[in-house]
Amino acid sequence: LGHLMTFTSGLDCDANSDSIGSESRMWEQQDETDYWLYTARLPMLHDPGNRYAYCSGSANLVGASLAAAGGTTVYDLFDRLIAKPLKFGPYHWALAPNGEGYLGGGAYMRPRDILKIGAMFAANGAWNGNQVIDEAWVKESTAPKVAISAQTTGMSPEQFGNNYFGGSQAYIWRTDVVKSGETSYRSYEASGNGGQLLIIVPELDLVVGFTGGNYRMGGIWGRWRDQIVGGHIIAAMTDAR
């Protein structure tokens, strides 16, 4: 599970459409409707833990363990353990062809509800005085595990710059720093294609959410952390002090 949540499974799966395990090829094929089995049956390219490659299928495969442990679907677990305690409004969950919840992306939620998840993590798992997520898990899941670099991906510097933003991988969360002027602040974030971002800056008790439609244009939304959060939001907060 740790390898899946840090995208170091070693499976033939990355965001490149040439990879048999890529999200686009998984969704386009019609032979296997169970996406957990589709990913689990991929050939191994590397020993687990030796190579970083972002893979939506890896995040989705974690759902197999969640469903087995919880005895129900992943979307039922989310609804009971997260959405209801945080009083979510309407939301929609992406489903695989077999009807199981998909954990690789595609959920539709109100920005204010996405921000609640960030606020809960910023409060060490608490929401309105209730401990929704164990504090120890908040710390463990947001701690850097694997550097995201040309070396860990096996790419050339040029290839790496065209595919990744650096930083480190925690458990699904990506960790980095936000630069504001001469100061850098530790941050962790959930980032999705097009500019769906949830950025938490613990030192400032700051949570920022973005939605966007710049799909496959990471060069645009990949800069928002420093340009907008650091350049404007944090700058205004610190100036106000």
Side-chain angles (χ1 to χ4, degrees):
L1 283 173
H3 290 137
L4 292 173
M5 291 190 290
T6 55
F7 305 110
T8 58
S9 69
L11 294 169
D12 183 2
C13 183
D14 63 40
N16 190 319
S17 59
D18 292 334
S19 168
I20 189 173
S22 69
E23 187 173 41
S24 59
R25 292 186 65 172
M26 180 169 65
W27 279 96
E28 289 167 2
Q29 61 82 36
Q30 298 181 13
D31 295 329
E32 179 55 76
T33 61
D34 186 330
Y35 285 176
W36 294 339
L37 287 178
Y38 182 88
T39 300
R41 290 170 175 166
L42 292 173
M44 297 288 297
L45 297 182
H46 310 282
D47 289 336
N50 286 353
R51 186 62 60 84
Y52 178 90
Y54 178 81
C55 167
S56 296
S58 290
N60 179 58
L61 186 53
V62 174
S65 287
L66 292 174
T72 185
T73 61
V74 293
Y75 50 84
D76 280 341
L77 287 172
F78 177 83
D79 193 67
R80 175 166 57 88
L81 299 176
I82 303 296
K84 281 187 168 58
L86 270 57
K87 300 187 184 303
F88 268 37
Y91 70 94
H92 303 274
W93 201 268
L95 302 181
N98 66 349
E100 181 53 270
Y102 182 66
L103 288 178
Y108 287 78
M109 301 176 182
R110 301 184 306 174
R112 70 184 66 181
D113 291 332
I114 296 173
L115 284 169
K116 291 176 184 177
I117 295 177
M120 175 181 64
F121 267 77
N124 294 314
W127 176 258
N128 283 345
N130 298 316
Q131 197 69 35
V132 179
I133 294 179
D134 188 77
E135 182 175 353
W137 175 249
V138 172
K139 294 179 179 178
E140 175 67 13
S141 63
T142 60
K145 312 291 187 216
V146 179
I148 305 173
S149 66
Q151 182 178 5
T152 58
T153 59
M155 294 179 170
S156 69
E158 181 179 2
Q159 287 176 314
F160 178 79
N162 290 331
N163 288 275
Y164 293 105
F165 306 120
S168 296
Q169 187 68 49
Y171 286 150
I172 301 298
W173 296 99
R174 197 182 76 86
T175 70
D176 211 320
V177 296
V178 178
K179 298 177 182 177
S180 183
E182 300 299 318
T183 306
S184 295
Y185 300 89
R186 173 183 172 268
S187 69
Y188 55 91
E189 64 185 48
S191 57
N193 190 13
Q196 327 314 321
L197 302 173
L198 176 63
I199 301 172
I200 296 95
V201 186
E203 182 180 344
L204 300 175
D205 196 26
L206 174 65
V207 179
V208 181
F210 293 95
T211 60
N214 302 106
Y215 297 102
R216 300 189 182 279
M217 292 185 282
I220 295 177
W221 54 267
R223 298 195 295 264
W224 293 352
R225 185 191 323 103
D226 286 336
Q227 285 183 339
I228 300 177
V229 180
H232 294 283
I233 298 175
I234 294 179
M237 292 173 61
T238 52
D239 284 349
R241 293 178 183 178

